[in-house]
Amino acid sequence: MLILLVFGILLREVPLSSQDEAGPRARGAPGESQYDYASLRLPEGHIPFFLHNNGHLAALCRQDPLCPFKKHLENLQYCWGYEKSCQAQFRFGYPTCSYVDLGWADTLEAAADIFWRQADFGYARERLEEGRVLCQPRQAGDSSLLCSRHLQYCRATNLYLDLRNVKRNHDRFKEDFLQSGEIGGHCDLDVQALVSEGQRKSPLQSWFAELQSYTRLNFRPLEDAGCDVVVEKPTYFMKLDAGVNMYHHFCDFLNLYLTQHVNSSFSTDVHVVMWDTSSYGYGDLFSDTWKAFTDYDVIHLKTYDSKRVCFKEAVFSLLPRMRYGLFYNTPLISGCQNTGLFRAFSQHVLHRLNITQAGPKDGKIRVTILARSTEYRKILNQNELVNALKTVFTFEVQIVDYKYKELGFLDQLRITHNTDIFIGMHGAGLTHLLFLPDWATVFELYNCEDTRCYLDLARLRGVHYITWRRQDKVFPQDKGHHPTLGEHPKFTNYAFDVEEFMRLVLEAADHVQRHPEWPFRARRDEL
């Protein structure tokens, strides 16, 4: 019984092993630091939050005269928000609400708490709290399996995967891909508990299809020579959404980042394995983003075909289209905005991809118009709108077309992050709003009657959002012509009243200049 208790504690509290949580390196020459602090690669503002969850590293830093994080040791009470030890006043961030949505809450405080649990670090707290051990180790060297409800997230040790007899076709997520005995571990499996978590079985909502055949093995995978390949490094399994669409693919990256929080590890010395049961490859227009999460190329599952593969540590990542997940079709309470999670994600990715802020510029507001080279949702009078913008001397105006063959994704991010007002038609390119500076405004020129998509994403990120309001001032080319649904506002092009356009842009500029983080605000207020 004592062994069970000890392993239960370990599964819940010990982070995924990685370079982040490794012990101090051996002392080298005099004057050499005891730890490779640079390997953390975290934004400066995230360091105290990381140290809060890694007390051993904080203690080492306190003793190490060469530790560059000394100033952060005074702020070890800072916490992301999901930790049991976290006090509310020291959380990384907390939403603000401007009104109460009576369908959800009775007070502003209750509304903020709901929003925090729906889409902020409160979501991570709930996943941590609902974790249960489904396969219990009996002794050292055994396997283990711990999952959240509905198998939306799982963590396994000493995992056995037999791909010698799998059959592939065009289906990316076959539900019968693995049979009994082809995935499992040496541990005490609670079969009834495993089966009970299958209510949300769906390709991008749960790992139930992949783990429903998890089997209690009569051998220890790593110790009893049952493996053709042993993967020593921690491994994240992911089922990916559409890699050609930024909105959908960044649901993958956001959930990977959230999974790292659940594991309390941000190491890049890990493998990412794309769980895909088809024989096809995967088109990824945003592959540079993986550099923020792993030092290695993403591995397609078919790489291991015909082999028995054993993973010392494996994580089945949170998924991009989970019911009540993040951020695709997330039901959100109205009236609230600004999550610490999405702001931290933005900062984390920008830092690791070395995307820096070159401004803002005194007396100038940087305006970027996102043009479209697609067949639909073009701005018919784009030149006219641009010429009007250029009459305002404080505006620095640029037109960009984020075509991946002409402008690499990292260059796209540099443009976006150095923009104060970002203007574009409804479309996946507006997902760039995740990487705008905090003071920026995103102007969805026309939402094509999809009113919530980028409004909600802007609320999650915490940047100001506006869109076209007057229907009598927008002029569609026709009624739209969806290939199967008939008339549809997303399948046509639009012209816009210049005067109304300028009024909205000037409104956006006023918000930018009034934002608390706009560095020239004090001077503006004095004037």
Side-chain angles (χ1 to χ4, degrees), residues 16 124 128 152-154 207 236-238 252-266 315-319 322 341:
L16 190 72
L128 285 165
Q152 292 179 325
Y153 155 87
C154 292
W207 288 100
Y236 288 85
F237 288 111
M238 298 184 68
D252 298 318
F253 293 122
L254 186 280
N255 279 284
L256 177 55
Y257 179 67
L258 186 58
T259 300
Q260 289 182 319
H261 274 280
V262 174
N263 288 321
S264 191
S265 172
F266 301 96
V315 170
F316 294 83
S317 179
L318 292 163
L319 295 158
M322 296 179 296
L341 170 61

Side-chain angles (χ1 to χ4, degrees), residues 34-49:
Q34 301 177 43
Y35 185 88
D36 183 12
Y37 298 102
S39 67
L40 296 182
R41 295 180 58 212
L42 294 174
E44 185 75 13
H46 293 192
I47 296 297
F49 301 89

Side-chain angles (χ1 to χ4, degrees), residues 322-486:
M322 296 179 296
R323 193 179 305 176
Y324 307 111
L326 295 171
F327 50 85
Y328 179 79
N329 282 343
T330 303
L332 293 174
I333 185 172
S334 298
C336 302
Q337 65 175 359
N338 196 14
T339 70
L341 170 61
F342 280 74
R343 179 163 52 91
F345 169 72
S346 177
Q347 294 169 352
H348 183 84
V349 171
L350 291 170
H351 177 79
R352 288 198 164 173
L353 298 183
N354 196 30
I355 306 298
T356 58
Q357 178 57 245
K361 301 178 180 179
D362 191 4
K364 294 293 183 181
I365 293 178
R366 301 163 297 178
V367 181
T368 299
I369 296 181
L370 181 60
R372 292 177 63 90
S373 53
T374 55
E375 184 176 357
Y376 302 116
R377 280 172 273 158
K378 292 180 182 176
I379 305 171
L380 296 174
N381 61 333
Q382 179 173 285
N383 290 338
E384 189 178 10
L385 300 183
V386 170
N387 290 335
L389 287 173
K390 290 181 177 179
T391 64
V392 181
F393 77 94
T394 56
F395 287 169
E396 284 190 353
V397 183
Q398 64 177 332
I399 305 170
V400 297
D401 190 340
Y402 285 167
K403 292 189 288 189
Y404 72 96
K405 290 184 178 180
E406 299 180 8
L407 190 65
F409 183 60
L410 296 184
D411 290 327
Q412 295 177 25
L413 286 183
R414 289 187 184 95
I415 293 171
T416 300
H417 189 53
N418 285 281
T419 292
D420 305 316
I421 301 176
F422 191 70
I423 303 172
M425 290 289 290
H426 178 87
L430 288 182
T431 309
H432 272 272
L433 69 85
L434 290 171
F435 303 103
L436 290 170
D438 291 346
W439 58 77
T441 291
V442 58
F443 179 7
E444 184 174 17
L445 189 52
Y446 192 61
N447 60 35
C448 301
E449 299 179 22
D450 188 346
T451 59
R452 304 300 307 184
C453 183
Y454 295 103
L455 166 61
D456 283 347
L457 192 59
R459 289 203 292 139
L460 292 168
R461 169 59 184 88
V463 294
H464 185 56
Y465 170 94
I466 62 173
T467 190
W468 201 265
R469 298 166 193 157
R470 295 191 56 176
Q471 291 297 314
D472 61 330
K473 299 288 186 177
V474 58
F475 311 104
Q477 190 174 37
D478 51 42
K479 293 183 178 180
H481 31 83
H482 188 278
T484 59
L485 300 178

Side-chain angles (χ1 to χ4, degrees), residues 3-13 133 136-137 146:
I3 292 176
L4 289 178
L5 177 62
V6 170
F7 271 94
I9 293 173
L10 287 175
L11 282 170
R12 290 179 181 274
E13 297 187 357
V133 177
Q136 186 76 257
L146 177 145

